């Protein structure tokens, strides 16, 4: 009796793990659906600088990250901000943001990274449509 | 049977807990005093120090507890004491290397795993050794596993998997596809937390069944049903972190569906609570039991929040605000830390040979819980303000919004300080007994 119970548990686990494996394969191999981008070499350089300096500990992208500074998903395309604005912030040490010492090339790389992120979508997604079942249809970037 | 190494895991865990809360305090100071000590303790240094250290508290205390129960409560002879020692050694050395990496700013990693990625290799090795030791011991000695053995085994396996997954970005084909990369990153974090929860909730059930002397708590269809429900959520229900990352809709939809199965858990909790009102339960007055009760309370509060923020229509507003922090701190402190403290009080009672009574530490216990409640509410409030700013305030800049939260951030720091103090007192109380027990084991020959 007890042996069969264990057996059932193992069967359930095997089923769940099989589903999990298939699910992972699909996610790992999936293509992004909206505004697919491939980061350029320069943007990848920017991503590296972003990681090495832990920009994420204060800033968010798509709302993910720390909350001491603002979200930067769409800072590049913001009509009042953009490239020069971003560059001006980097070495200025405003408020709690550290005073970085980036070279022009490093600034360019960070801007390229932020520009390419910007092209993938919107955050906050202010034109999202809330459905009665609690679902939210988000606006994708290539829809406009 | 002696097991000094298990005690060392627990002693290290408590020191790490004290250190982690201290880092947290310093980090939170940056919110109310952005210019204060900004050069010395900028948030981009303090935050990784804080998160890495407190996560280590959860991991070390859970691991130490499990080693302790197996060898000293269940009296199973461990497959290999040597492997256990090597595991401890690896974790301690890697821990030191991580601090060196963080302090000197060698942080090529990502959020939560900011340290130099290569250090994850020894961490993984430690988990493998733990896994080998665990499965070899349990398989040999236990038939018909009670639920906690399943949970611990699952936790170990899935921690290894998700720790690897968190580093898929090292592969260029992931890193260059920004959206997929982000999704996979947050999938791994969400499921990593789910995996350590398997260890921690298993510990809760274990300690409760030992205190009540009732193994049936860990057997039967119902507990297994909730285990499988939890496992499905661990694997598939992580996407509430990324509802608004423009990925494939089905990934987001599936996760919404899976997360909503947790309502069953909430309804079950309310139902059993109502049932227990009519039945007079035997009250236990040990610290361990009280902390399990506290964890129950925090499960209830946090589950409601988690369920609400898993609804996309609500998540749209709460995501990217301090409500998420309230959720993560509420669960790691309220639920995980309460359970792990319960486990430590239980273990301390075992090594001391007498139960630590609630009366002795009643005040600290209440300070811990009430300061956490205020701390949690302050975060919810700050989050609500930020959500309002994000969606409805057109002419206020980010820094104006932050400035308007000045008093809130002061409260955040002050109640954080009270909370950290209560945690430190509890940790020191436990440390005293554990140090004594360690010395006794070191000098005895048995």
């Amino acid at each position: 009796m007890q042996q069969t119970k264990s057996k059932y548990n193992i069967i359930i686990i095997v089923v769940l793990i099989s589903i999990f494996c298939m699910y992972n394969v699909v996610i790992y191999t999936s293509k992004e659906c909206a505004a697919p981008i491939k980061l350029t070499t320069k943007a990848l350089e920017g991503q590296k600088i972003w990681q090495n300096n832990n920009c994420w500990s204060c800033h968010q992208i798509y709302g993910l990250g720390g909350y001491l500074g603002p979200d930067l998903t769409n800072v590049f395309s913001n009509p009042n901000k953009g490239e020069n604005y971003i560059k001006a912030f980097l070495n200025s040490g405003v408020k709690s943001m550290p005073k970085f010492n980036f070279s022009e090339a490093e600034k360019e790389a960070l801007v390229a990274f932020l520009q390419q992120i910007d092209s993938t979508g919107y955050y906050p997604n202010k034109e999202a449509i809330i459905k009665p079942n609690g679902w939210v249809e988000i606006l994708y970037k290539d829809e406009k | 049977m002696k097991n000094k190494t298990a005690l060392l895991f627990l002693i290290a865990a408590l020191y790490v807990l004290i250190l982690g809360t201290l880092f947290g305090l310093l980090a939170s100071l940056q919110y109310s005093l952005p210019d204060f000590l900004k050069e010395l303790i900028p948030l981009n240094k303090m935050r990784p120090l804080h998160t890495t250290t407190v996560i280590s508290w959860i991991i070390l205390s859970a691991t130490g507890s499990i080693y302790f129960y197996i060898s000293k409560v269940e009296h199973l002879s461990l497959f290999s004491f040597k492997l256990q020692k090597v595991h401890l050694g690896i974790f301690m050395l890697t821990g030191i290397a991580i601090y060196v990496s963080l302090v000197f700013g060698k942080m090529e990693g990502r959020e939560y795993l900011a340290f130099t990625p290569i250090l994850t290799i020894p961490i993984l090795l430690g988990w493998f050794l733990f896994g080998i030791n665990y499965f070899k011991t349990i398989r040999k000695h236990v038939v018909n596993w009670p639920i906690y053995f399943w949970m611990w085994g699952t936790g170990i396996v899935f921690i290894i998997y998700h720790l690897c997954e968190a580093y898929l970005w090292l592969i260029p084909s992931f890193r260059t596809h920004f959206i997929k990369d982000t999704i996979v990153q947050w999938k791994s974090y969400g499921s990593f937390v789910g995996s350590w929860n398997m260890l921690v909730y298993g510990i809760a059930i274990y300690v409760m069944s030992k205190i009540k002397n009732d193994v049936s708590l860990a057997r039967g269809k119902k507990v297994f049903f909730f285990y499988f429900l939890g496992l499905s959520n661990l694997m598939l229900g992580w996407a509430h972190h990324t509802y608004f990352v423009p990925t494939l809709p089905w990934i987001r939809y599936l996760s919404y569906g899976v997360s909503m199965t947790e309502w069953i858990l909430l309804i079950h909790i309310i139902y059993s609570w109502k049932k227990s009102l009519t039945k007079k339960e035997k009250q236990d007055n040990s610290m361990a039991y009280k902390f399990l009760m506290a964890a129950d309370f925090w499960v209830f509060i946090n589950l409601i929040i988690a369920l609400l923020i898993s609804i996309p229509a609500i998540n749209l507003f709460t995501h990217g605000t301090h409500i998420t922090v309230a959720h993560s701190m509420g669960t790691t402190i309220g639920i995980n830390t309460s359970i792990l403290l319960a486990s430590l009080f239980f273990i301390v009672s075992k090594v001391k040979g007498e139960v630590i009574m609630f009366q002795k530490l009643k005040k600290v216990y209440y300070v811990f819980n009430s300061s956490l409640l205020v701390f949690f509410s302050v975060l919810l409030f700050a989050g609500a303000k930020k959500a309002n700013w994000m969606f409805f305030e057109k002419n206020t800049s980010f820094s104006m919004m932050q400035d308007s939260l000045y008093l809130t951030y002061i409260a955040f720091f002050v109640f954080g300080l009270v909370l950290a103090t209560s945690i430190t007192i509890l940790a020191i109380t436990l440390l005293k007994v554990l140090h004594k027990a360690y010395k006794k084991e070191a000098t005895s020959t048995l």
Side-chain angles (χ1 to χ4, degrees):
Chain A
M1 161 69 200
Q2 299 202 323
Q3 283 305 342
T4 52
K5 228 171 92 188
S6 270
K7 218 183 259 164
Y8 280 132
N9 292 336
I10 289 177
I11 293 173
I12 298 176
I13 288 192
V14 169
V15 170
L16 283 176
I17 290 185
S18 312
I19 295 174
F20 181 60
C21 290
M22 289 188 283
Y23 173 76
N24 284 339
V25 170
V26 176
I27 288 191
Y28 297 161
T29 56
S30 70
K31 302 262 178 294
E32 295 98 333
C33 78
I37 57 146
K38 246 182 117 171
L39 296 183
T40 58
T41 320
K42 196 162 155 198
L44 282 172
E45 198 53 42
Q47 182 182 49
K48 207 163 146 197
I49 302 171
W50 175 269
Q51 267 173 234
N52 292 1
N53 293 284
N54 298 351
C55 305
W56 48 260
S57 56
C58 301
H59 291 290
Q60 311 106 69
I61 289 183
Y62 285 112
L64 302 164
Y67 303 140
L68 191 56
D71 189 286
L72 298 181
T73 315
N74 296 127
V75 67
F76 183 86
S77 63
N78 185 321
N80 302 320
K81 298 180 181 175
E83 176 165 356
N84 291 331
Y85 180 91
I86 297 172
K87 283 185 179 166
F89 256 95
L90 294 176
N91 292 350
S92 65
V94 180
K95 293 237 172 166
S96 53
M97 180 153 153
K99 198 167 157 46
F100 292 104
N101 248 326
F102 293 127
S103 66
E104 191 54 32
E106 287 171 321
K107 285 193 218 167
E108 295 272 335
L110 274 167
V111 168
F113 178 56
L114 290 173
Q115 177 186 12
Q116 289 180 26
I117 287 173
D118 193 312
S119 73
T120 61
Y122 302 102
Y123 190 83
N125 210 294
K126 289 191 182 166
E127 284 169 66
I129 300 160
I130 298 177
K131 300 275 168 179
N133 64 354
W135 183 246
V136 170
E137 238 161 51
I138 59 175
L139 180 71
Y140 287 88
K141 200 120 194 182
D142 48 5
E143 281 175 343
K144 244 187 181 170
Chain B
M1 200 174 306
K2 294 208 306 187
N3 192 345
K4 274 190 320 200
T5 315
L7 292 181
L8 280 179
F9 266 103
L10 299 170
I11 289 171
L14 286 163
Y15 280 113
V16 161
L17 173 63
I18 297 173
L19 194 65
T21 47
L22 184 70
F23 287 144
L25 275 177
L26 291 174
S28 76
L29 211 52
Q30 298 282 300
Y31 276 85
S32 30
L33 302 170
D35 289 317
F36 176 70
L37 295 182
K38 160 176 142 178
E39 306 297 326
L40 194 68
I41 49 164
L43 192 77
N44 50 336
K45 265 203 174 161
M46 292 322 289
R47 197 181 147 199
L49 280 171
H50 171 59
T51 49
T52 305
T53 313
V54 290
I55 292 171
S56 305
W57 142 249
I58 294 174
I59 298 292
L60 288 173
S61 56
T63 309
S65 295
I66 294 169
Y67 274 134
F68 186 91
Y69 302 150
I70 293 177
S71 57
K72 309 257 305 185
V73 184
E74 299 300 313
H75 303 293
L76 305 178
S77 119
L78 211 54
F79 166 69
S80 162
F81 279 94
K82 206 180 244 155
L83 278 192
Q84 188 196 11
K85 263 193 200 138
V86 177
H87 178 191
L88 178 72
I90 291 178
F91 270 18
M92 291 303 117
L93 290 177
T94 316
I96 293 168
I98 286 178
Y99 284 112
V100 171
S101 156
L102 293 180
V103 170
F104 290 99
K106 292 278 296 164
M107 298 192 249
E108 297 94 347
R110 288 191 170 175
E111 188 165 6
Y112 297 112
L113 300 163
F115 47 82
T116 263
I118 207 132
L119 292 177
T120 299
I121 294 173
I123 297 178
L124 278 170
L125 181 66
W127 280 101
F128 267 112
L129 298 184
F130 186 29
I132 293 170
N133 224 345
Y134 177 80
F135 285 109
K136 286 266 189 195
T137 309
I138 307 296
R139 267 184 68 107
K140 186 160 166 211
H141 297 286
V142 188
V143 282
N144 184 25
W145 297 6
I147 192 74
Y148 38 80
F149 283 138
W150 288 95
M151 294 173 84
W152 295 336
T154 316
I156 295 170
V157 172
F158 279 84
I159 279 179
I160 293 175
Y161 182 78
H162 289 109
L163 200 53
C164 295
E165 190 180 52
Y167 283 97
L168 284 177
W169 64 267
L170 289 168
I171 304 170
S173 64
F174 277 88
R175 190 164 64 224
T176 48
H177 288 92
F178 181 76
I179 296 293
K180 183 160 76 185
D181 183 19
T182 307
I183 296 289
V184 172
Q185 195 70 44
W186 285 86
K187 167 182 181 325
S188 75
Y189 294 156
S191 302
F192 187 79
V193 174
S195 314
W196 88 46
N197 275 329
M198 278 283 169
L199 302 182
V200 176
Y201 289 137
I203 287 174
I205 297 175
Y206 182 84
V207 176
M208 193 50 113
S209 71
K210 292 293 152 181
I211 290 178
K212 292 205 167 169
N213 212 353
D214 181 1
V215 202
S216 73
L217 288 176
R219 292 189 194 279
K221 283 207 176 93
K222 207 161 70 187
V223 285
F224 275 91
F225 170 76
F226 283 111
Y227 161 69
F228 289 124
L229 188 70
L231 185 56
S232 321
N233 268 279
L234 180 172
M235 297 192 289
L236 311 170
W238 49 271
H240 49 277
H241 297 288
T242 49
Y243 278 151
F244 302 105
V245 179
T247 178
L248 301 165
W250 74 263
I251 298 179
R252 303 159 51 226
Y253 223 104
L254 178 73
S255 172
Y256 179 30
V258 173
S259 309
M260 290 302 110
T261 58
E262 298 231 332
W263 285 103
I264 304 173
L265 184 59
L266 184 69
I267 291 163
H268 176 254
I269 291 174
I270 295 173
Y271 170 77
S272 12
W273 175 69
K274 273 190 78 171
K275 223 169 64 179
S276 74
L277 283 183
T278 49
K279 193 169 70 180
K280 265 255 170 292
E281 285 258 338
K282 201 177 81 199
Q283 281 290 319
D284 184 293
N285 268 319
S286 67
M287 267 322 266
Y289 183 80
K290 290 291 175 186
F291 265 111
L292 288 178
M293 292 293 103
D296 266 2
F297 166 77
W298 288 109
V299 166
F300 183 71
I301 300 279
N302 281 295
L303 190 58
I304 292 175
I305 299 279
L307 279 166
L308 291 177
I309 65 177
S310 292
I311 299 172
I314 295 175
N315 190 282
L316 177 65
F317 300 99
T318 62
H319 178 69
T321 74
H322 296 85
I323 292 176
T324 315
V325 190
H327 164 64
S328 60
M329 294 218 190
T331 46
T332 47
I333 306 174
I335 305 176
N336 292 337
T337 300
S338 292
I339 290 173
L340 292 164
L341 286 172
S343 165
L344 276 151
F345 275 107
F346 173 73
I347 287 171
V348 157
S349 303
K350 287 271 164 198
V351 296
K352 213 177 165 189
E354 71 180 90
V355 176
I356 311 264
M357 297 311 282
F358 176 54
Q359 210 56 32
K360 212 179 132 196
L361 289 162
K362 195 166 153 183
K363 270 192 206 137
V364 192
Y365 174 87
Y366 284 121
V367 171
F368 170 84
N369 283 296
S370 45
S371 59
L372 180 56
L373 192 59
V374 182
F375 186 76
F376 180 77
S377 315
V378 167
L379 283 168
L380 288 181
F381 176 77
K385 287 269 282 201
K386 184 173 175 198
N388 185 50
W389 168 78
M390 269 198 307
F391 280 88
F392 306 110
E393 287 182 27
K394 288 219 162 62
N395 300 318
T396 326
S397 72
F398 176 80
S399 62
M400 280 154 84
M401 182 275 295
Q402 285 288 60
D403 289 346
S404 75
L405 282 170
Y406 182 67
L407 285 179
T408 313
Y409 289 141
I410 299 264
F412 175 60
F413 175 74
V414 170
F415 286 95
L417 181 66
V418 178
L419 179 62
T421 311
S422 68
I423 290 177
T424 307
I425 296 173
L426 291 165
I428 291 175
T429 313
L430 290 161
L431 272 171
K432 276 188 191 152
V433 185
L434 288 178
H435 272 302
K436 234 189 234 159
Y438 179 79
K439 261 193 215 135
K440 210 167 113 198
E441 289 219 348
T443 48
S444 85
T445 45
L446 231 134

